[in-house]
């Protein structure tokens, strides 16, 4: 909970943007930064569960490996954002992790599961870009940029895998 402000306060000095100075204390997270971290954790919990289910039902070993890598990336992001919250004396969101069913029969084609994973990667990149652009504490944009690089690399690997299997449709484009 963040208490409702009773009056408008203005930033006094550039120390508000500090975050990497080891000799000074970091300022508390503001409401925007806190909401971006919470949203990042919650969306990666959802992504983790979805990829866990996808990994469980896919038969192609390369696609299965790709979904496992996505689960590992989601866990890394959850851990990173949770650590930032805990260091700021905020409890990470207590979202029920849940579990996919025990079924090993795919409800969707591997092509569709890969496409959905591609969409989630795009949403993750967009979310990190927003978090990076709205944070005024210098350590957070750097952390989110490193995570965005990992998401981009993961998405690129997924694109290569979709091309290998003939699953990636070429978007309409202009004619020269």
């Amino acid at each position: 909970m963040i208490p409702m402000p009773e009056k408008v306060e203005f930033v006094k000095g550039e120390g508000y943007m500090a975050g990497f100075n080891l000799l000074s204390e970091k300022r508390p997270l503001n409401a925007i930064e806190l909401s971006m971290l919470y949203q990042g954790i919650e969306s990666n919990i959802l992504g983790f569960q979805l990829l866990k289910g996808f990994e469980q039902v896919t038969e192609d070993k390369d696609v299965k490996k790709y979904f496992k890598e996505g689960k590992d990336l989601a866990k890394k992001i959850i851990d990173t954002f949770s650590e930032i919250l805990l260091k700021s004396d905020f409890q990470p969101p207590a979202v029920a992790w849940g579990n996919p069913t025990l079924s090993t029969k795919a409800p969707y084609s591997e092509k569709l599961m890969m496409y959905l994973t591609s969409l989630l990667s795009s949403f993750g990149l967009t979310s990190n870009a927003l978090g990076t652009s709205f944070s005024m504490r210098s350590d957070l944009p750097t952390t989110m940029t490193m995570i965005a690089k990992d998401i981009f690399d993961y998405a690129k690997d997924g694109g290569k895998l979709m091309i290998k299997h003939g699953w990636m449709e070429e978007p309409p484009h202009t004619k020269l």
Side-chain angles (χ1 to χ4, degrees):
M1 282 297 281
I2 296 177
M4 273 305 272
E6 295 181 17
K7 62 182 172 124
V8 175
E9 293 184 32
F10 294 93
V11 173
K12 295 172 183 72
E14 292 179 20
Y16 187 79
M17 294 186 271
F20 279 125
N21 189 343
L22 298 175
L23 303 175
S24 68
E25 195 171 311
K26 294 177 188 167
R27 68 158 170 78
L29 294 168
N30 65 35
I32 297 168
E33 294 159 344
L34 191 60
S35 67
M36 290 293 179
L37 291 168
Y38 264 73
Q39 185 272 335
I41 292 170
E42 289 174 345
S43 63
N44 277 282
I45 288 172
L46 172 68
F48 175 88
Q49 289 302 343
L50 187 65
L51 292 173
K52 183 177 179 181
F54 286 176
E55 178 191 17
Q56 178 178 300
V57 300
T58 195
E59 293 182 15
D60 183 282
K61 72 177 190 178
D62 290 337
V63 175
K64 186 180 283 286
K65 179 181 176 228
Y66 180 71
F67 291 146
K68 183 186 181 324
E69 290 168 0
K71 275 184 1 190
D72 293 343
L73 178 57
K75 282 194 274 189
K76 176 184 171 186
I77 295 168
I78 293 164
D79 290 346
T80 300
F81 287 175
S82 294
E83 183 180 332
I84 293 168
L85 290 175
L86 289 169
K87 284 182 178 176
S88 299
D89 288 334
F90 282 99
Q91 179 180 332
V95 179
W97 278 75
N99 284 305
T101 67
L102 298 176
S103 173
T104 55
K105 184 169 171 94
Y108 311 111
S109 68
E110 290 174 340
K111 177 182 177 179
L112 180 59
M113 291 187 284
M114 286 294 297
Y115 178 72
L116 292 172
T117 304
S118 174
L119 283 176
L120 287 176
S121 297
S122 296
F123 294 151
L125 282 170
T126 302
S127 177
N128 267 308
L130 284 171
T132 299
S133 62
F134 283 107
S135 177
M136 296 289 287
R137 206 171 91 174
S138 62
D139 60 323
L140 296 178
T142 303
T143 299
M144 290 181 169
T145 299
M146 292 181 345
I147 288 171
K149 182 206 172 297
D150 293 341
I151 296 169
F152 178 79
D153 290 343
Y154 178 72
K156 187 175 178 183
D157 289 344
K160 289 177 183 177
L161 193 55
M162 289 175 74
I163 291 169
K164 173 184 168 187
H165 287 284
W167 296 336
M168 184 180 281
E169 295 180 29
E170 186 175 336
H173 52 84
T174 60
K175 305 246 187 246
L176 293 176

